[in-house]
């Protein structure tokens, strides 16, 4: 039996997916408040530089950004996003930690809100993420002593989530961060403990069955920073393909810092593209700090060099393999790097293309120059 869909009604709105009818379908209540009710105009604000076009208007591939539900209700964020990006990724609201309740039912209000916002403003949606070693949930913990029941629940969860957004979400990070950071092999996790190494292939098969048109990704980080991890990751991709898994793309997160050697970016993207799969730069941000940050002048220059290397390398990927580039924050103040938990020291980080006021930084200008 598929996971039950439930809603506590605490979020701003739930809106229906057009033309879809399935068990557990969306709540048909009218859109009453919040992000979906915003009336947005572009450009983002009167002070937006008139000489800089909206970034998505010059990008030869989908340009995305990560979004949280609070962003959707922020008119300044929403105007800036609608003006400059063509795709949204749910930063958290489509992860199992939020979507799966302890009783096995699905909590979909925030994911529905994001997809409704995207439809309203003609934006694409990328799904993130179905299976992650870091999140499993009480529902699955209770089933781990019953492997057959666990397997059925695993497949049903993936299929219920993917089918709900079939035709709306264009691609999914099916499995997220499966490789140890030092490249030694697969990470331990509940999924591997119960289902074995094939938990990855099973997830791809389940997602493909639920939506055969969706582009399915294996997503990981530090592929440019740690060559040994990249080798292991690409071997995993090759094994999945050899075994017939419906793996269509590779997501390279690119949470990187200004002190990364720019040449390392080009090598990594060439290696990733060599498999002929779709390539998604899925979570790009470039931190100014590595260790102690005492000033921002030199790190900003290094940050720009690294950013230019990313764009040049991605421009060199064959056009048919460029799924898109997703920024992991729109403004500096939106970044997870400046959260109370992650912030280090008195100087805020500046990893995004727009500053706290929504003004484009030099990285935004260089993006326009490099993709025109």
């Amino acid at each position: 039996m598929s996971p039950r869909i439930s809603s506590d009604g605490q979020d701003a709105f739930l809106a229906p997916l057009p033309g879809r009818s399935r068990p557990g379908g969306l709540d048909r209540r009218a859109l009453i408040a919040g992000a979906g009710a915003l009336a947005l105009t572009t450009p983002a604000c009167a002070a937006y530089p008139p000489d800089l076009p909206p970034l998505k208007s010059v990008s030869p591939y989908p340009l995305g950004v990560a979004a949280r539900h609070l962003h959707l209700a922020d008119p300044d964020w929403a105007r800036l996003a609608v003006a400059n990006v063509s795709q949204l990724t749910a930063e958290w609201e489509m992860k199992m930690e939020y979507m799966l309740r302890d009783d096995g039912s699905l909590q979909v209000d925030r994911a529905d809100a994001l997809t409704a916002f995207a439809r309203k403003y003609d934006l694409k949606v990328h799904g993130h993420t179905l299976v992650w070693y870091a999140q499993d949930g009480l529902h699955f913990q209770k089933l781990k002593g019953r492997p057959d029941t666990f397997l059925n629940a695993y497949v049903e969860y993936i299929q219920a989530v993917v089918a709900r957004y079939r035709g709306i979400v264009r691609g999914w990070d099916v499995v997220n961060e499966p490789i140890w950071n030092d490249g030694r092999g697969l990470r331990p996790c509940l999924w591997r403990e119960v289902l074995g190494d094939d938990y990855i292939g099973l997830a791809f098969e389940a997602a493909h069955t639920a939506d055969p048109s969706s582009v399915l990704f294996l997503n990981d980080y530090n592929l440019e920073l740690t060559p040994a991890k990249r080798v292991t990751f690409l071997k995993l991709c090759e094994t999945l393909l050899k075994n017939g898994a419906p793996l269509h793309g590779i997501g390279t997160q690119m949470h990187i810092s200004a002190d990364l050697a720019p040449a390392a970016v080009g090598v990594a993207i060439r290696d990733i593209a060599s498999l002929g799969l779709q390539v998604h730069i899925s979570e790009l941000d470039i931190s100014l700090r590595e260790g102690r940050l005492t000033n921002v002048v030199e790190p900003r220059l290094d940050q720009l060099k690294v950013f230019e290397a990313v764009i040049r390398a991605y421009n060199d990927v064959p056009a048919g393999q460029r799924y898109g580039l997703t920024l992991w924050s729109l403004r500096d103040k939106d970044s997870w790097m400046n959260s109370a938990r992650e912030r280090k020291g008195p100087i805020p980080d500046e990893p995004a293309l727009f500053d706290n006021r929504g003004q484009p930084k030099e990285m935004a200008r260089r993006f326009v120059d490099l993709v025109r």
Side-chain angles (χ1 to χ4, degrees):
M1 194 174 217
S2 296
R4 300 183 306 284
I5 309 292
S6 61
S7 172
D8 55 17
Q10 293 178 352
D11 272 69
F13 67 96
L14 291 171
L17 298 179
R20 306 216 62 82
S21 176
R22 68 175 73 90
L26 292 177
D27 188 326
R28 301 287 169 172
R29 286 179 294 171
L31 183 64
I32 57 174
L38 292 171
L40 304 181
T41 58
T42 55
C45 60
Y48 192 92
D51 63 319
L52 190 71
L55 302 188
K56 69 180 182 182
S57 72
V58 296
S59 180
Y61 36 77
L63 182 64
V65 73
R68 297 193 299 271
H69 73 287
L70 294 176
H71 293 148
L72 305 183
D74 174 353
D76 291 336
W77 184 95
R79 280 192 291 267
L80 192 64
V82 169
N84 286 283
V85 305
S86 55
Q87 181 166 286
L88 301 180
T89 297
E91 188 169 342
W92 179 66
E93 285 81 355
M94 285 185 173
K95 290 177 178 172
M96 187 181 290
E97 183 179 38
Y98 185 79
M99 291 197 77
L100 183 65
R101 296 180 185 272
D102 290 348
D103 65 359
S105 65
L106 296 183
Q107 181 171 243
V108 296
D109 50 356
R110 292 182 180 177
D112 287 355
L114 183 136
T115 55
F117 181 94
R119 290 197 315 278
K120 183 177 179 69
Y121 296 107
D122 196 26
L123 305 175
K124 303 175 189 296
V125 179
H126 179 74
H128 176 79
T129 177
L130 297 170
V131 177
W132 188 20
Y133 79 93
Q135 295 178 3
D136 45 56
L138 181 61
H139 176 63
F140 282 107
Q141 289 288 346
K142 291 187 295 187
L143 298 178
K144 67 180 180 180
R146 294 180 284 159
D148 290 343
T149 304
F150 186 101
L151 172 60
N152 289 337
Y154 182 75
V155 170
E156 287 169 358
Y157 171 79
I158 293 168
Q159 292 188 338
V161 174
V162 174
R164 183 174 184 81
Y165 303 105
R166 180 173 175 168
I168 302 299
V169 171
R170 67 183 286 244
W172 283 94
D173 293 328
V174 177
V175 177
N176 193 48
E177 301 174 1
I179 302 296
W180 277 107
N181 198 36
D182 60 7
R184 76 185 81 162
L186 292 177
R187 292 180 184 271
C189 59
L190 178 63
W191 321 115
R192 190 179 178 206
E193 176 187 342
V194 179
L195 302 175
D197 292 357
D198 198 36
Y199 83 91
I200 299 174
L202 288 168
F204 276 90
E205 290 171 8
H208 184 65
T209 298
D211 185 358
S213 67
S214 185
V215 186
L216 305 182
F217 287 85
L218 195 66
N219 190 54
D220 218 319
Y221 69 100
N222 278 4
L223 300 181
E224 66 294 314
L225 185 65
T226 311
K229 180 174 184 176
R230 184 169 71 247
V231 168
T232 303
F233 180 88
L234 293 178
K235 285 181 178 177
L236 172 60
C237 292
E238 291 172 339
T239 298
L240 289 167
L241 293 170
K242 182 180 178 181
N243 292 339
L247 169 65
H248 308 134
I250 293 173
T252 176
Q253 294 180 16
M254 290 214 170
H255 295 295
I256 52 183
S257 59
D259 65 346
L260 178 68
V265 173
V267 172
I269 292 183
R270 282 195 298 273
D271 283 355
I272 290 166
S274 70
L275 294 189
L277 301 173
Q278 296 279 296
V279 178
H280 184 199
I281 297 180
S282 57
E283 305 180 22
L284 178 66
D285 47 30
I286 306 176
S287 173
L288 290 183
R289 72 170 49 84
E290 181 64 25
R292 287 191 170 185
L293 181 63
T294 55
N295 72 83
V296 295
V297 176
E298 186 174 348
R300 280 178 182 159
L301 295 175
D302 291 338
Q303 180 190 54
L304 188 59
K305 292 176 184 176
V306 173
F307 178 76
E308 290 174 348
V310 171
I311 303 306
R312 291 182 192 280
Y314 198 57
N315 287 347
D316 287 341
V317 173
Q321 289 181 248
R322 293 190 308 221
Y323 176 85
L325 184 152
T326 295
L327 311 168
W328 209 237
S329 58
L330 192 59
R331 303 167 299 192
D332 289 329
K333 67 181 181 180
D334 303 318
S335 175
W336 63 280
M337 295 179 182
N338 285 322
S339 67
R341 191 172 97 174
E342 297 291 337
R343 180 168 167 174
K344 302 170 184 176
I347 302 178
D349 213 330
E350 301 176 10
L353 270 63
F354 294 87
D355 66 19
N356 291 341
R357 298 176 300 118
Q359 292 299 297
K361 293 156 52 179
E362 188 59 28
M363 284 191 291
R365 294 183 177 278
R366 291 300 292 135
F367 178 80
V368 172
D369 292 341
L370 290 166
V371 300
R372 269 181 161 166

